[in-house]
Amino acid sequence: MAARGVFSRMRARGTGLSDPVLPSGITEDAFLGGALTLRQPTGGYRAAIDPVFLAAAVSAEPGQMVLDAGAGHGAAALCLARRVEGVRVTGIELQADMVRLANDNARLNGLERLVQVMIGDLKTPLPRLVPGSFDHAMANPPFLDPGRAVASPEPGRATANVEGAATLNDWIGFLLRMVKERGSLTVIQRADRLVEILALLDGRAGEIVVYSLWPRDGVAARRVLVRARKGIRTPMTISPGMVLHRDDGGFTPAADAVLRGAALDIAPART
């Protein structure tokens, strides 16, 4: 989902990494109101608001362990680590160049002791990841069904946006395996794939919350956040969701607060 200028471009400068000047094809951009700096490719996958909202919806506490599946260049992992002091995030990512960039970004922001991204395929057992060892897991899986999508000619963007060998079933199954009993998993996905997600969670997780992100008031939701807890049987709830943009195109105060680092409580108010 486009950011519409929320994230400012920053000039190349010394950052504590070995190269004080940005490599060719890389930009340095400010997130969370300037509290986080991300290096990302000019021609590949570029983070907008989706990973920010995903990280904001994870109900992690200091000292807990979080898994970020499909971590990319670390946007969601680093947003979460910046918001929740002391949380430890392990990311896995299929593309080696993105793994390097994610770990560079962790060092750039002084979060390398809390955020580590490794190369890995969620369809292949990963010896360094122990099933049932994470308090929370999150993912921003590819949105598009390969049978109906036209892939970008840019390989990195195509991998991020179009499902490959790993289907949505594989993503949800992996998250469920990796979290502890009663642990949570949170995903952001296109609204038209909500039925698939709910079917995959049926009988495997409960306390499911569906939180819609409405582009504008009166416009159908394009994204949904779904959070569930493993081994819980509590019925599903549908939250009111959030309207992202005002009529003039700017972000609503609630959306702007999340984009500047606020937590997103997606559970409906208890009565």
Side-chain angles (χ1 to χ4, degrees), residues 17-265:
L17 294 175
S18 59
D19 53 331
V21 179
L22 291 178
S24 175
I26 297 293
T27 64
E28 196 167 275
D29 304 294
F31 284 65
L32 303 184
L36 188 72
T37 301
L38 291 180
R39 291 184 173 185
Q40 49 186 344
T42 56
Y45 167 74
R46 294 183 61 80
I49 73 173
D50 288 348
V52 182
F53 271 79
L54 173 65
V58 177
S59 56
E61 298 178 358
Q64 289 189 322
M65 301 286 292
V66 181
L67 175 68
D68 182 11
H73 47 59
L78 292 165
C79 283
L80 180 59
R82 180 61 80 215
R83 176 174 66 83
V84 183
E85 185 176 356
V87 73
R88 303 184 68 85
V89 187
T90 298
I92 63 162
E93 168 56 44
L94 187 62
Q95 303 175 81
D97 57 338
M98 298 296 270
V99 172
R100 288 191 293 270
L101 194 53
N103 289 315
D104 283 348
N105 280 330
R107 290 191 292 273
L108 175 64
N109 289 278
L111 294 170
E112 66 274 16
R113 293 186 178 180
L114 298 173
V115 177
Q116 295 184 339
V117 180
M118 66 182 74
I119 192 164
D121 183 344
L122 60 85
K123 287 180 65 68
T124 303
L126 300 169
R128 293 174 61 187
L129 296 182
V130 179
S133 61
F134 291 90
D135 300 288
H136 309 276
M138 62 179 176
N140 181 11
F143 290 157
L144 303 176
D145 185 326
R148 296 182 292 174
V150 178
S152 167
E154 205 293 315
R157 187 171 294 149
T159 299
N161 294 333
V162 182
E163 281 185 2
T167 65
L168 191 55
N169 181 31
D170 295 316
W171 285 84
I172 297 297
F174 178 72
L175 298 180
L176 285 168
R177 286 194 302 276
M178 299 310 299
V179 295
K180 302 174 180 178
E181 285 295 314
R182 306 178 72 85
S184 81
L185 59 145
T186 307
V187 298
I188 187 167
Q189 184 55 269
R190 279 170 47 132
D192 60 4
R193 304 197 73 180
L194 176 59
V195 172
E196 293 178 66
I197 295 174
L198 296 180
L200 293 169
L201 293 173
D202 186 36
R204 306 164 77 185
E207 204 173 288
I208 298 169
V209 180
V210 177
Y211 189 95
S212 298
L213 298 174
W214 316 98
R216 286 181 176 79
D217 193 20
V219 177
R222 297 176 185 171
R223 297 283 190 272
V224 290
L225 285 156
V226 180
R227 189 170 71 202
R229 293 179 65 196
K230 180 178 177 179
I232 299 293
R233 300 298 180 188
T234 308
M236 183 181 78
T237 57
I238 299 179
S239 282
M242 179 184 291
V243 176
L244 298 175
H245 296 100
R246 306 187 305 262
D247 289 341
D248 63 6
F251 284 104
T252 61
D256 186 67
V258 172
L259 294 171
R260 294 181 181 277
L264 179 60
D265 184 5

